[in-house]
Amino acid sequence: MLDLLLYVLLLAILALAVLAAVWLVRGNAGGRSAMVALFGERPEKRLAIVEHASVDGRRRLVLIRRDDVEHLIMTGGPVDVVIETGIGAASAIPESAGTNGVTAPVFNRQARTFGRAAKPAEATE
């Protein structure tokens, strides 16, 4: 009697293993992994280190993005310092149409050519 109970228990365990294998294969065949089927999709990352640069042997500048806003932080000194906060992410800044990303110079003046004065002479009447 115990032998029959053991065989039924082993058959039930084997059937559960086969069902679990079929479920995993079906999950992968549909383009979803078994982990996604079990736990769902990963949430979107909100925090990222965009760039970092070494200032000297101890200090470093770190540009951090959180929710499409960037923050510039200096670490490694006696105190960590937030240098600038609320910087718009590069992808969030719209480019003006037709400029191809080129911005106008700060001081907009005509270029001088050889033999021309820096300031135009005022007309005399």
Side-chain angles (χ1 to χ4, degrees):
M1 179 70 176
L2 285 177
D3 289 340
L4 182 63
L5 186 61
L6 180 65
Y7 288 132
V8 170
L9 184 63
L10 287 176
L11 184 64
I13 290 174
L14 183 63
L16 284 175
V18 168
L19 287 175
V22 167
W23 181 67
L24 289 174
V25 168
R26 268 185 82 204
N28 286 334
R32 294 175 28 185
S33 71
M35 298 306 272
V36 169
L38 285 173
F39 301 110
E41 296 286 335
R42 274 190 169 172
E44 184 179 335
K45 286 188 174 184
R46 295 181 56 205
L47 186 64
I49 295 178
V50 177
E51 241 181 286
H52 58 88
S54 196
V55 175
D56 57 25
R58 291 178 29 180
R59 295 178 294 173
R60 108 176 305 160
L61 285 170
V62 181
L63 187 61
I64 297 175
R65 179 181 297 136
R66 180 198 47 84
D67 294 336
D68 293 332
V69 177
E70 294 179 350
H71 308 279
L72 184 62
I73 300 170
M74 181 179 287
T75 63
V79 241
D80 295 342
V81 180
V82 176
I83 295 176
E84 189 173 356
T85 185
I87 308 167
S91 61
I93 300 173
E95 291 185 22
S96 56
T99 61
N100 294 331
V102 178
T103 58
V106 175
F107 302 105
N108 194 6
R109 66 175 185 185
Q110 279 187 327
R112 284 193 275 173
T113 59
F114 184 71
R116 203 167 110 189
K119 291 185 179 180
E122 294 182 21
T124 56
E125 293 181 27

